[in-house]
Amino acid sequence: MSFARVRALVAVGLLAVLALVFVVAALIRDTQSNAGIAEGCPDDWPRADVTLRERKDVKIKVLNGTDRPGLAAVVGDDFRNRDFQVESHANSKKKIDEVAVLRYGPQGVGSAHLLQAYFLGRAKLEYDPNYDDADVVRVMLGNEFQQLATTTEVNQSLGDLGAPVAPPGSCPVVNEK
């Protein structure tokens, strides 16, 4: 074996060892290994469940915030046909002009994120850390509401919205149900 080949093998060997050292160092010093589990979060902040839920696991209450009679029942049936758990539907005394308002608490963050896709990201989100219905999202339909998004539109909207994030004043936690 010539001296040039030995020198080349030594150089390649050193590069391989350096690459291995860098990989090991990166894995050991990884600061994102605890991401999403609320480490370092103040004790008095609520833990927001940022797990994106499947439709069958989402509980909703549909409210009609318009003058259109029966809208909550129709949309409730539409959600039920899409495998959501519709707990109730009713008329609201308060009328709203938005497409919809989604009210939820710390346990409903992932559910509200999914529902936001059904309104193509145009629903107003109202997070309340002291929300009384733990994992139920209240969907209040407004005057700008026309129809729920199709499956293709929902999938595209979910891609546009990205992953669920914890609202300000809460810490993210991923709960696997």
Side-chain angles (χ1 to χ4, degrees), residues 52 113 156-165:
L52 186 61
H113 188 79
Q156 289 173 343
S157 184
L158 280 172
D160 292 342
L161 292 171
V165 296

Side-chain angles (χ1 to χ4, degrees), residues 75-154:
V75 174
D77 288 341
D78 200 4
F79 273 123
R80 197 173 283 114
N81 290 337
R82 296 174 189 222
D83 296 330
F84 286 89
Q85 296 179 37
V86 180
E87 293 193 345
S88 66
H89 55 81
N91 288 325
S92 172
K93 294 177 185 172
K94 181 180 177 186
K95 305 301 179 201
I96 60 169
D97 291 326
E98 289 92 357
V99 171
V101 174
L102 304 177
R103 292 191 180 118
Y104 59 98
Q107 298 304 312
V109 173
S111 298
H113 188 79
L114 176 62
L115 288 167
Q116 177 72 300
Y118 281 85
F119 297 101
L120 301 177
R122 295 185 58 217
K124 180 180 175 185
L125 298 174
E126 289 186 0
Y127 169 74
D128 180 2
N130 301 314
Y131 190 68
D132 54 351
D133 283 336
D135 59 348
V136 176
V137 178
R138 285 194 188 117
V139 178
M140 181 181 278
L141 304 169
N143 287 320
E144 290 185 22
F145 174 77
Q146 296 195 3
Q147 68 181 23
L148 295 176
T150 65
T151 303
T152 302
E153 291 171 331
V154 169

